[in-house]
Amino acid sequence: MTLLRDADLAAAFDHAARSYDTLVAANPGYHAHLRRSARRLGLPDGGHGMRVLDLGCGTGASTAALAAVLPGAEITAVDASAGMLERAAAKPWPDNVTFVHAPAEGLARAGVEGPFDAVFAAYLFRNAADPDAVLATVRDLLGPHGRLAVHEYTLSGRAAHRAVWTAVCGGFVLPVASALGDGRLYRHLWRSVVDFDTAGEFAARVRSAGFDHVRVLPLPGWQTGITHTFVARRELLDTAGDR
């Protein structure tokens, strides 16, 4: 199948927004894993006085994780899907959370400007048509020593983990999504993970984009070897492309 990109992908997420929270709630540990990845940013003092960008916030699950872990931070949550963002913004939020409708590639046009102390991106990069360009944008938005945490479906490279992912999608996710009229999006979900970087490949991609202190951290439960947290810091040098 052809993966969905750009406007087609945003439209598919718009349609799926009404049932998205119900589906992810059936994923054991989904919200706890996001909070774990948010903690892995390692920001001190609950993020007090800091600016954090939630890139690809969807219906707000990642935003809620950041708000719980970093109650003192100013959180800007961004998504390309108007439908997902509408669902997110309709939920109760503290005053330090702001939502912006914009694709990751168009943040400047939407008025999203750095520097940020940290960027959090959950389930974003494998959906980007040009993940390297998005990483470059993220790097430019971060201040010196700014931190990045990516929470993403990135297979370990082991056949067993790929088989578990395919079995979960084929046995549960796709049948339920198809019954709800969102089969096209969730077929994309399955395929986008299979076709994307392995965890090691994505870590190398992050390093090449001008980040250091890159670590790949596993998540527990059935997602071991399937979902990882990648944490990194912006390099001090401004010549990442010339190294």
Side-chain angles (χ1 to χ4, degrees):
M1 65 164 287
T2 301
L3 293 176
L4 300 174
R5 293 300 185 206
D6 301 325
D8 289 338
L9 183 58
F13 273 116
D14 287 348
H15 188 269
R18 70 199 189 287
S19 58
Y20 189 82
D21 286 344
T22 301
L23 275 172
V24 300
N27 181 344
Y30 184 91
H31 296 286
H33 289 174
L34 286 169
R35 290 191 296 272
R36 183 185 291 247
S37 289
R39 287 194 296 271
R40 286 169 169 173
L41 277 168
L43 297 182
D45 194 25
H48 181 74
M50 296 182 175
R51 298 184 71 217
V52 178
L53 177 63
D54 181 16
L55 194 53
C57 66
T59 59
S62 54
T63 317
L66 289 169
V69 173
L70 302 170
E74 176 188 328
I75 299 169
T76 301
V78 177
D79 203 88
S81 164
M84 300 287 273
L85 202 68
E86 182 180 5
R87 290 274 175 171
K91 297 172 183 177
W93 298 101
D95 292 339
N96 59 320
V97 175
T98 302
F99 290 94
V100 178
H101 180 213
E105 301 85 353
L107 298 178
R109 293 192 300 273
V112 178
E113 298 179 346
F116 287 93
D117 297 285
V119 174
F120 188 79
Y123 308 118
L124 171 76
F125 279 97
R126 64 187 163 72
N127 286 321
D130 188 347
D132 293 321
V134 176
L135 279 168
T137 296
V138 167
R139 183 181 177 278
D140 289 344
L141 285 169
L142 284 169
H145 301 295
R147 303 183 186 190
L148 169 66
V150 176
H151 178 102
E152 186 59 273
Y153 292 122
T154 43
L155 299 175
S156 69
R158 292 180 57 189
H161 294 144
R162 176 173 172 151
V164 170
W165 171 249
T166 296
V168 168
C169 287
F172 173 73
V173 176
L174 285 173
V176 173
S178 296
L180 293 170
D182 294 313
R184 186 174 181 230
L185 175 62
Y186 287 90
R187 284 191 296 274
H188 161 89
L189 167 67
W190 166 71
R191 190 74 212 181
S192 69
V193 176
V194 170
D195 287 354
F196 191 55
D197 297 348
T198 64
E201 290 167 347
F202 186 71
R205 188 190 292 271
V206 172
R207 291 187 189 96
S208 296
F211 292 87
D212 57 16
H213 296 87
V214 180
R215 293 187 295 154
V216 183
L217 304 172
L219 288 157
W222 76 268
Q223 294 194 64
T224 298
I226 295 171
T227 311
H228 296 84
T229 315
F230 301 82
V231 290
R233 295 191 185 188
R234 175 182 171 168
E235 287 184 339
L236 285 178
L237 294 175
D238 290 326
T239 56
D242 300 326
R243 290 180 303 152

